[in-house]
Every structure is written in C-alpha cells, then in structure tokens.
Amino acid sequence: MAFCRVLTGNQAISQGARLCRPQVIAIYPITPQSEIAETMAGFTAEGELDARIFRVESEHSALSIVIGAEVAGARAFTATSSNGLFYMHEMLHYASGLRLPIVMAVANRASPAPWNIWGDHSDSISQRDTGWLQVYVENCQEALDTVIQAYRIAEDRRVSLPIMVCLDGFTLTHVSEGVDIPPQDVVDEFLPPYDPEYSLSKLIERDETACFSPVIFPETSYMEYKYLQAKASERSKDVIREVDREFERKFNRKWGGLIENYHTDDADYILVTLGSLTTTARAVVDELREDGWSVGLIKLRFYRPFPEKELVDCLQDAKIVGVLDRNFSYGYAGAVYSDLSSAIDGRAEIVDFIGGLGGRELNEDHFRYMFRRLKELSTTRDQKRVEWIGLKMK
Amino acid sequence: MAIETDDFLLPGHPLCAGCGLAITLKHITRLLGKRTVALIPPSCSGPLATENSYKISLPGIHIALTHGAAIAAGIKAGLEAKGLKDVTVLPLMGDGGTADIGLQALSGSAERNDDILYVCLDNEGYMNTGIQGSASTPIGAYTTTTPAGRNRPLGRDRPKKDVFRIVSDHDVPYAATACISYLSDFKRKIRKANSTEGFRYIHVLNPCPTGWGFSPDKTVEMGLLAVKTGMFILAESEHGRIRMTHVPVKRIPVKDYIKHQSRFRHLKDDQIREIQKLVDERFERYLRIQEREDDKRS
Ligand SMILES: Cc1ncc(C[n+]2csc(CCOP(=O)(O)OP(=O)(O)O)c2C)c(N)n1
Ligand code: SF4
C-alpha cells in the first residue's frame, strides 16, 4: 500500500534506495549527505533492507566497494557530497568505463576552499566529464522517484552507465515535505532484479576465465570502448524518456524525462534552472505572467546526457534566454551556459547568471531581477554575457 | 575459454627472467585453485592482464593502484549476494599499492575484517614504472627516486615500513610474511590463509633481479639471504599475536646479502655498519614480541 510520510530530501533518497533493494551499500558520511548514510544503516540494522552495508574509512573506498559489488553482478548504492565526490574522482572514471549502473546520490555542496558546507552545484558539475549521467531533482518526492527511475535507466542494457542523483544541500537534503512512498510490489514490478550481461559471478558460474578491464593499447580497442560509452550516453536519452513515461503509468507521477518546460511555448524571456530553486523561479514566472509578461522556465533535469534537442526546440524562438549557473568554470563562464550556448549555436541570445554559490540565498527578488535583466539585455547588443547575482561587492 | 589446466599462470608470460613474482604467483594460484578471483593492479603483474594476452587462467579484473582491499571487499560482498559463498577474492597488490597509496584502503578493510585474501607482492619498489622508491624499499637502496648523492649518501634513507606488523595490529584472523625461498613455510601459510575466514594478509618478498641488480639465476638465493641476514623476517600472526616462523640459528652479516645487489653498490663500510645495527635492533624487537606472546601463552 502506498502511504504518505513527511520526509527530508535525504530520507526521501534513502526510501527510494531502500525500495530498489540494493544488495551492497557503502557510504562515507559528509554534511549535508550524512543522513543518507545513517538512514541506510538504520534500514539494514532493523532488517527493513536485506543488504550488506560497509562502514568505510573513505569515499574512495566506498565507491571502490560499490564498483566491486557491481562487477560481481550485484546492485549497489552509495551517496556523497563535495569533498567526498572529489575524493572519489579516480573511481568515477572507473565506474563509467566499466559500464556499471551504480546509482549515487550527491547532496550538492560548495567546493572548498574557502571551507563551506552549504549548497551549490560546483561539486557534481565539475565531475561532468567522468562519464556519469547526472540528474538534478527539485523536491523530496522527485528525489525518491528519481532514485527508482535512475536504477531502471542505468541498468537498461542500452545504457549500462552510472548515475548521480543530485539534490541541493540543505534546501533539499534538510527540508521536510510530504512524500508518497510507493508500495514495494509496484516498485518490484517496475524494477526487476539486476541481471547484467557480464559479471564475475556469471564467469564463475560458467566456469570461464576472462579479465575485466584489461590493459588496452592505443591501436587495439581503447578508442572503440570509449566510442561505445559515448554512444550509450547518447542512447540514454531515449531510455530516460521511456522510463519517465512508464513511471507515470505505474506511479501516476511524471517528472518530464530530460527537461521540464513551463510556459515556454509563447515566452520571449526564458530562464533555465536546475534543482530546488526551480520552485522559486516557477512562482515568479506565475507572478510575472499575471502581470502580462511573456516569461517561461525550463528545469534542466538531466545535465548529462545534455538534452540538446529538447532545449533548442524550446528556446530557439525566445528573444533571450537566461541560465542560472550555481557553478563557475574559472577562466570562462558557468558550465550550463557554455553547453547551452554551443547547443543553441546563435539561434537565441543567452545570458549567464552566476548565483547561489556556497549557499548564498536566491529568493523571488533575485528571480524578478533576472527576468528584468533579460528584458533589458534583449534590446541592447554589446552586453556582458556573464553576470554574478547577489554579489556583495562591486 | 574454459579452464583446462591445473596451472593458473600460463606460459609465455612477460615477466623478467628470474622474476620472484612469477614463482610466487604460480604457487599461490595453484594452492588456491579455481574458485578464486584474481585482482591485478598496475604493477609488474599488470602485463599479465592485457587485452589479448591474459596470462592468469582465473576470472579476473585489472584494478587501480589505490583500492586493492576495498574493491576486493566489494567483489566478495557482490559474489555473496549472488549466492557464491565459496570464492576466494585475491588482490595481488605490489608493495607500492600496499605500503603507500593503498594503505588506507588496506587498513579500512583489515579493520572491518573483510573476508578477502590480500597478497602483497613485495619487490621493494615501484618496479614496473621504472624502479622508483616505495615505503617498502629498504634503507640504503638506490632507486631512481632515491638516488645516492652528496646530500643523501644512503640513497633511500628511511627503513622499510613494516606493513605486516601494521596489519597484524588490526587484530585480523591471519597475517604472515613469506618468501618463495622458504617454500614449505610459504605453502603452509597460503594454506592456512585459505582455510581461515575473514581478513587474511600475506606479505611475500619477491626478489627482483631487474630492480635490485642481481643475476637472474640468484633469485632463490637472494630470498634465502634476506631471511638469513634478518633483512626480511618470516613471521605470522593470529588476531595480532605475532610469532616468528623461522629464526635463523646464527644470522649472517647484512653485507653478505647486499654485496650481490647493485642497488647497494654505493654504500661505504660505515653505512653498512649502520644498516647492520638497524637490522639487529629490528630483529631483536621481533624476538621480544615473540617472547611476550610466548609468556602470554604459557
Ligand atoms: C593513483 C595512481 N598514481 C600513480 C600511478 C602510477 N603507477 C602505476 S604502477 C605504480 C607503482 C607500482 O608499484 P608497486 O605497487 O610496488 O608494484 P610493482 O610495479 O613494483 O610490481 C605507479 C606509481 C597509478 N597507476 N595510480
Ligand atoms: S621488474 Fe622485478 S618484479 Fe618486475 S617483472 Fe622484472 S624482475 Fe619481476
């Protein structure tokens, strides 16, 4: 039976993970993720989840254990944030190169130094090129649902890639909302047991020998492996759309697949956001539309794969597009802006708003300001393309 | 390819002539048998696991330098989750991957008492990458990153890190040092490790003609001399209780070991005397540990 509970974002992620029946779990605590480590430990202690859970000495080992479990053929789960994610960096490439459908929650947090435990997207965004799919969720319900979707997408044999489910530190990890917890039997129907084509356990059962991820030379097949990995990331777009549709049929909720657009059809000024701030932006869009402005909003759910086609379809008729980047690629601009600019390829004007770094507040006023700036900038030519929002210095 | 042979290190492997590692791997895999997963890190064993030439006829995986014990623990847990309870997971780490960059993962795993058989293949340096120094390189040895010079006349100027004792102090069910030059001791320890549950650690000294600079026909002799001089101590421990498994009746001078190896060529007599002193002290420390344990037992 489905039932509704008040859960924090971290608890929602944990409930989602529990419903997916991971067999091996290894999580190293870090604010604002620690509650996931604690909740999963509680589930296994109480027998609500039959999984082997490791108390690890580091994130590097956490991901290594999860990689080992998945190579053996078991479903595994982990979670981290910021410094922990950076500490995993070597293993991130390992997981995607081995084509392991690991699901990892990332409680988004700034990247020290200076030391800061509050939210922005610089941790996961800076891991963009590690081969992981990345999805950003807006609220606690989406957090829970997306974990379930993520295992389906990752384990689809057309994909076989790891996924980060990213949720904003504090503004989502520590915010409580009413969340519908779907019944286990329906989740079981939606997500069958993990059955990879190749695994160490299959080799052993078949009494065969082979070596996973052997040393590969320049002129044999390294590039071909990487090409197949690139193809799979591209193919994941179809799977993400399919899984969202099927999820809706089973659970009566949908999240838009790659992106969710809001009043973009007739909008002149469109803002692109990721994660929990979308809720604030949406409220401001409603308000401004009541005032007669033609504004719209896109929630970028998946940053990798990058939904180039969907974005171009929605944005090419806009007068101007703003991107809210809670990250910065030093020496250039925000990462989402850069990717979007290359996708749009001059078909619309784009402005980059850098904001919310290290948990700096972004409220309705800031969003009103961003829409106002879009309107102003749409009539001038030689604008500055990157603007920092809410900066307390000149 | 189905397994057809009882020998798990296949012919035609690319290890150097006279490599101690080859002898060690042959014996370990033979003793453990085919319900074993081999984990091969970047190291001298790495070339055994290349795309078109996998020379270990066991299910395997080429892993990273940093995480031998952790990924092994994950594989073990994954196999158990799939109902395979009787498989030995065997990380075959070098001394660099053990004493240096993999030590944290090793400690984490030993502390958890993960059910794996961790083997450190100690050739006393980062050999496959060009004979660089590791924490397991003995004092006085030349390596490409511990060259002897006016400002550092010893070459490597710190004693070998004792990973066996570090691991033993995690109260693991079984840990041992071994060397193929003492084959029956070596085999007994592998069998003992194989029949023990939980975290098992075997630290094997593999004389390395290329990195140490001795003639490839002297591999077994180098192992014998390492033990007879006390440069390498054969010991084992159960739940932290250490005991020496071979105490040379009369230790021979360190000089008789190092004179065969070009890595020690730069050492002067007074430096060799200093090293002799350190080796004596360490040996006596082991004897004292042994006495304490004997007292506890009696
Ligand atoms: C994180 C990381 N840093 C550096 C390397 C480069 N590297 C590969 S093997 C190796 C040394 C291995 O030495 P050891 O473990 O003693 O094995 P041996 O070559 O002596 O058998 C190094 C430094 C690496 N693979 N990974
Ligand atoms: S360098 Fe030494 S350990 Fe490595 S293969 Fe050659 S002899 Fe063996």
Side-chain angles (χ1 to χ4, degrees):
Chain A
M1 198 187 79
F3 60 100
C4 191
R5 285 243 307 260
V6 175
L7 299 178
T8 64
N10 279 335
Q11 291 164 351
I13 289 276
S14 308
Q15 289 288 353
R18 179 186 60 77
L19 288 165
C20 294
R21 302 185 190 271
Q23 295 155 296
V24 177
I25 300 166
I27 309 176
Y28 189 85
I30 178 170
T31 304
Q33 166 275 114
S34 301
E35 194 186 10
I36 300 178
E38 295 158 4
T39 310
M40 297 310 288
F43 287 155
T44 54
E46 294 296 337
E48 289 171 71
L49 173 63
D50 181 21
R52 172 73 206 280
I53 192 158
F54 284 85
R55 195 210 65 80
V56 274
E57 86 297 340
S58 73
E59 289 87 354
H60 194 282
S61 288
L63 188 51
S64 293
I65 285 171
V66 161
I67 287 170
E70 294 246 354
V71 174
R75 184 176 289 158
F77 178 71
T78 185
T80 190
S81 176
S82 181
N83 295 61
L85 184 63
F86 306 142
Y87 206 25
M88 285 178 176
H89 180 79
E90 182 196 25
M91 291 300 114
L92 294 177
H93 287 278
Y94 221 77
S96 60
L98 277 165
R99 306 291 301 276
L100 301 174
I102 296 163
V103 173
M104 169 161 74
V106 177
N108 283 118
R109 159 177 159 176
S111 312
W115 197 258
N116 179 303
I117 59 165
W118 290 273
D120 69 34
H121 296 155
S122 60
D123 52 357
S124 51
I125 296 261
S126 72
Q127 306 306 306
R128 180 189 72 181
D129 298 337
T130 55
W132 286 58
L133 310 185
Q134 289 191 6
V135 54
Y136 292 78
V137 301
E138 184 183 344
N139 54 46
C140 296
Q141 185 71 61
E142 188 181 3
L144 186 152
D145 292 353
T146 301
V147 172
I148 300 170
Q149 289 196 355
Y151 275 108
R152 259 296 290 272
I153 295 161
E155 290 175 5
D156 190 298
R157 287 189 183 174
R158 291 167 289 175
V159 180
S160 289
L161 286 170
I163 301 193
M164 293 181 200
V165 177
C166 305
L167 72 164
D168 285 312
F170 293 103
T171 51
L172 207 45
T173 56
H174 288 60
V175 161
S176 298
E177 294 175 338
V179 176
D180 168 62
I181 301 178
Q184 183 69 60
D185 55 330
V186 185
V187 177
D188 288 344
E189 282 167 24
F190 182 78
L191 181 71
Y194 177 41
D195 180 31
E197 209 169 340
Y198 306 100
S199 69
L200 279 169
S201 52
K202 285 212 166 137
L203 274 185
I204 293 165
E205 277 158 6
R206 295 185 197 128
D207 205 8
E208 288 176 355
T209 68
C211 186
F212 281 79
S213 86
V215 180
I216 294 193
F217 301 99
E219 299 307 330
T220 52
S221 56
Y222 182 82
M223 267 190 77
E224 289 67 23
Y225 274 101
K226 291 294 155 185
Y227 177 73
L228 291 173
Q229 191 179 328
K231 283 276 165 209
S233 327
E234 193 58 37
R235 241 186 347 255
S236 72
K237 292 179 183 173
D238 290 334
V239 178
I240 290 164
R241 291 185 203 103
E242 264 174 51
V243 166
D244 198 50
R245 282 196 295 272
E246 206 186 310
F247 189 89
E248 186 188 11
R249 279 196 294 276
K250 268 250 168 324
F251 301 94
N252 275 319
R253 278 188 299 273
K254 64 171 178 182
W255 297 101
L258 291 152
I259 67 172
E260 183 214 73
N261 42 30
Y262 190 63
H263 293 306
T264 49
D265 284 354
D266 61 342
D268 291 332
Y269 315 107
I270 301 178
L271 192 63
V272 179
T273 56
L274 285 71
S276 61
L277 282 172
T278 308
T279 309
T280 316
R282 201 183 285 110
V284 171
V285 165
D286 287 344
E287 173 196 307
L288 294 179
R289 285 190 84 88
E290 270 185 29
D291 293 348
W293 285 45
S294 64
V295 292
L297 180 70
I298 288 181
K299 172 166 99 178
L300 189 63
R301 275 191 91 221
F302 276 85
Y303 176 54
R304 282 293 179 273
F306 195 66
E308 181 187 357
K309 189 180 159 308
E310 276 85 350
L311 288 167
V312 171
D313 283 351
C314 292
L315 296 174
Q316 61 186 351
D317 297 326
K319 280 211 179 98
I320 189 162
V321 178
V323 178
L324 176 57
D325 264 308
R326 295 188 73 185
N327 72 88
F328 194 73
S329 173
Y330 297 91
Y332 191 44
V336 183
Y337 166 82
S338 308
D339 287 334
L340 188 61
S341 300
S342 94
I344 292 284
D345 197 18
R347 280 170 284 205
E349 292 284 314
I350 310 184
V351 180
D352 194 14
F353 295 118
I354 307 298
L357 301 189
R360 175 69 55 87
E361 177 172 332
L362 284 175
N363 57 31
E364 281 93 338
D365 282 341
H366 296 106
F367 283 97
R368 288 186 200 105
Y369 172 80
M370 284 184 255
F371 279 114
R372 268 206 312 281
R373 281 299 287 157
L374 285 182
K375 199 168 178 182
E376 282 163 24
L377 291 169
S378 67
T379 57
T380 55
R381 272 281 138 216
D382 54 350
Q383 324 100 6
K384 197 169 102 204
R385 284 286 165 234
V386 181
E387 292 199 8
W388 289 58
I389 302 295
L391 205 56
K392 296 186 180 176
M393 65 185 290
K394 284 269 173 267
Chain B
M1 183 188 66
I3 297 174
E4 285 160 1
T5 163
D6 284 342
D7 225 342
F8 295 97
L9 181 63
L10 300 176
H13 64 71
L15 304 173
C16 305
C19 173
L21 170 65
I23 310 172
T24 300
L25 283 178
K26 214 176 172 76
H27 285 292
I28 291 182
T29 51
R30 222 185 246 165
L31 287 165
L32 295 182
K34 67 181 187 178
R35 299 291 275 190
T36 303
V37 177
L39 276 56
I40 301 146
S43 63
C44 282
S45 320
L48 299 171
T50 64
E51 188 180 17
N52 299 318
S53 173
Y54 178 43
K55 290 297 183 188
I56 300 179
S57 71
L58 291 170
I61 175 169
H62 188 285
I63 61 170
L65 186 61
T66 43
H67 66 175
I71 191 169
I75 288 172
K76 180 69 187 176
L79 292 176
E80 287 196 339
K82 301 300 272 183
L84 297 169
K85 312 263 183 214
D86 64 334
V87 180
T88 301
V89 181
L90 180 74
L92 296 163
M93 306 304 290
D95 52 288
T98 299
D100 286 329
I101 202 166
L103 188 64
Q104 175 176 309
L106 170 60
S107 171
S109 181
E111 180 276 321
R112 283 190 302 268
N113 196 22
D114 292 331
D115 190 15
I116 62 172
L117 202 171
Y118 187 110
V119 175
C120 172
L121 300 163
D122 185 4
N123 52 19
E124 303 194 322
Y126 302 172
M127 295 313 182
N128 87 101
T129 45
I131 317 180
Q132 293 100 13
S134 85
S136 194
T137 303
I139 190 162
Y142 159 91
T143 69
T144 53
T145 55
T146 61
R150 205 178 325 131
N151 293 329
R152 190 169 54 200
L154 269 176
R156 170 138 162 95
D157 56 4
R158 292 287 299 152
K160 185 179 173 83
K161 189 189 277 189
D162 193 340
V163 184
F164 160 71
R165 276 213 299 143
I166 295 173
V167 173
S168 294
D169 274 352
H170 287 67
D171 277 1
V172 296
Y174 189 67
T177 62
C179 179
I180 36 95
S181 304
Y182 290 80
L183 199 56
S184 57
D185 179 80
F186 173 93
K187 285 183 170 174
R188 184 184 64 74
K189 287 167 174 171
I190 301 292
R191 287 201 188 96
K192 168 89 181 155
N194 196 28
S195 62
T196 304
E197 243 182 71
F199 193 89
R200 293 145 287 160
Y201 178 81
I202 309 272
H203 190 111
V204 188
L205 183 71
N206 290 314
C208 161
T210 310
W212 300 5
F214 63 83
S215 157
D217 59 347
K218 293 214 163 7
T219 306
V220 174
E221 192 182 333
M222 283 312 115
L224 285 171
L225 290 174
V227 174
K228 285 186 171 160
T229 52
M231 289 286 285
F232 191 79
I233 294 172
L234 293 176
E236 67 185 357
S237 71
E238 288 176 60
H239 297 286
R241 289 184 301 278
I242 293 175
R243 109 188 155 86
M244 292 161 87
T245 58
H246 175 89
V247 184
V249 184
K250 187 174 177 340
R251 273 188 301 127
I252 59 173
V254 160
K255 195 179 174 107
D256 292 342
Y257 171 63
I258 66 183
K259 70 180 179 197
H260 297 282
Q261 302 172 29
S262 66
R263 61 177 172 161
F264 296 115
R265 198 168 38 199
H266 58 283
L267 295 178
K268 308 268 184 309
D269 281 347
D270 58 327
Q271 292 171 315
I272 295 175
R273 274 195 298 277
E274 274 305 301
I275 294 172
Q276 181 70 55
K277 234 174 80 192
L278 287 171
V279 169
D280 290 347
E281 279 169 18
R282 182 165 172 272
F283 197 84
E284 275 148 29
R285 206 181 320 144
Y286 261 86
L287 286 173
R288 284 199 302 277
I289 294 171
Q290 167 120 329
E291 277 163 23
R292 274 207 309 277
E293 291 303 334
D294 286 349
D295 288 350
K296 269 192 244 164
R297 266 186 276 263
S298 61

